[in-house]
């Protein structure tokens, strides 16, 4: 059984996709041990409560220094005994000590086809504004392991989505969420829960079924 902790900051639609996939059996061998948000008003926390999932909020704003936050944040995460941390729209920098302790056990969903439109400053609507400004015809989402960089860890899954005539950043964001994020994040969790993913020389290899 894979114990996962989902880290959120906003509406929690990706968290909801994980909850729904676990309920429907699309994700197997997995238990959501808790949800942590830096934003006490995040609707994602409501979603967790609605499903009886332990949730807590902890913010850098509540601490005198980032170092003190990082220490308490790590203690809160460790306390839930996760096998995997899932960043689902989490907007706080992951402390280096957490990345070290959970090496190749932290995944993130990014709303572009990495290496496009990623890295510092590329989050939320900004990603889709940049894609429309560049005039790309295809966008998408990526699930990747988290390392010390920003959106730089080994890529696990990607899914492409067409840009459509008349798209605004908002309509494009919604389509990428519906057609890509909400599908590949649960899929990646199920793959990890069932030993289908390994990292070789910084590249993810998907283990095919023997049959
Ligand atoms: C999603 O667009 C995701 O790609 C990005 O942050 C947003 C989170 O949305 N990382 P939600 O909180 O899951 O609805």
């Amino acid at each position: 059984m894979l114990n996962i902790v989902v880290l959120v900051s906003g509406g929690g639609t990706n968290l909801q996709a994980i909850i729904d996939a676990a309920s429907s059996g699309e994700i197997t061998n997995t238990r959501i041990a808790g949800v942590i948000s830096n934003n006490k008003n995040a609707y994602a926390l409501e979603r967790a409560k609605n499903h009886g999932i332990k949730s807590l909020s902890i913010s850098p704003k509540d601490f005198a220094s980032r170092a003190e936050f990082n220490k308490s944040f790590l203690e809160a995460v460790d306390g839930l005994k996760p096998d995997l941390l899932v960043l689902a729209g989490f907007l706080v920098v992951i402390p280096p000590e957490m990345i070290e302790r959970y090496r190749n056990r932290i995944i993130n969903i990014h709303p572009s086809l990495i290496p496009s439109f990623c890295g510092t400053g590329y989050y939320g609507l900004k990603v889709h504004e940049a894609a429309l400004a560049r005039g790309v015809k295809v966008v998408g989402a990526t699930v990747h392991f988290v390392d010390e960089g920003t959106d730089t860890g080994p890529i696990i899954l990607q899914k492409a989505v067409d840009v459509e005539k008349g798209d605004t950043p908002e309509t494009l964001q919604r389509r990428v969420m519906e057609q890509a994020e909400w599908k590949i994040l649960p899929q990646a969790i199920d793959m990890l829960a069932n030993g289908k993913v390994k990292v070789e020389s910084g590249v993810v290899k998907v283990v095919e079924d023997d049959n």
Side-chain angles (χ1 to χ4, degrees):
M1 183 66 72
L2 189 79
N3 264 347
I4 70 171
V5 168
V6 186
L7 305 181
V8 296
S9 295
T13 63
N14 277 284
L15 167 66
Q16 191 65 53
I18 295 167
I19 291 169
D20 295 347
S23 305
S24 70
E26 202 184 314
I27 295 179
T28 57
N29 202 19
T30 297
R31 172 178 167 270
I32 306 174
V35 172
I36 298 178
S37 179
N38 63 302
N39 169 10
K40 64 182 184 307
N41 301 316
Y43 187 66
L45 292 171
E46 206 57 40
R47 295 180 192 272
K49 289 189 187 89
N50 291 343
H51 288 273
I53 298 168
K54 189 186 291 185
S55 63
L56 63 100
S57 65
I58 179 170
S59 167
K61 294 182 194 135
D62 303 332
F63 294 84
S65 71
R66 179 55 65 112
E68 285 172 71
F69 164 76
N70 286 352
K71 183 171 175 298
S72 298
F73 180 31
L74 188 55
E75 283 166 6
V77 168
D78 288 348
L80 292 166
K81 298 183 178 16
D83 302 305
L84 179 73
L85 303 184
V86 180
L87 310 187
F90 191 61
L91 296 176
V92 171
V93 174
I94 302 297
E97 53 270 41
M98 190 177 285
I99 290 174
E100 189 48 46
R101 184 170 304 177
Y102 293 94
R103 179 76 55 193
N104 282 339
R105 293 196 292 148
I106 308 175
I107 64 173
N108 180 50
I109 176 80
H110 181 75
S112 79
L113 294 176
I114 290 175
S116 297
F117 311 114
C118 65
T120 307
Y122 284 105
Y123 59 89
L125 272 182
K126 292 174 188 288
V127 173
H128 306 289
E129 287 164 0
L132 290 172
R134 182 65 184 81
V136 296
K137 308 308 175 194
V138 176
V139 292
T142 302
V143 180
H144 63 94
F145 284 113
V146 173
D147 63 11
E148 283 73 6
T150 303
D151 305 327
T152 53
I155 290 171
I156 301 169
L157 284 177
Q158 296 188 296
K159 186 163 176 48
V161 174
D162 289 335
V163 178
E164 292 181 6
K165 192 168 178 306
D167 261 333
T168 64
E170 290 76 9
T171 59
L172 192 52
Q173 177 181 53
R174 184 71 190 183
R175 189 175 315 113
V176 169
M177 293 171 97
E178 285 175 347
Q179 295 184 9
E181 297 179 36
W182 300 343
K183 296 192 184 310
I184 63 175
L185 186 54
Q187 189 185 344
I189 292 168
D190 186 60
M191 287 163 63
L192 286 156
N194 292 289
K196 301 288 186 199
V197 173
K198 56 184 179 184
V199 184
E200 287 174 359
S201 315
V203 175
V204 168
K205 303 279 187 212
V206 176
V207 176
E208 298 305 331
D209 289 334
D210 353 47
N211 51 16

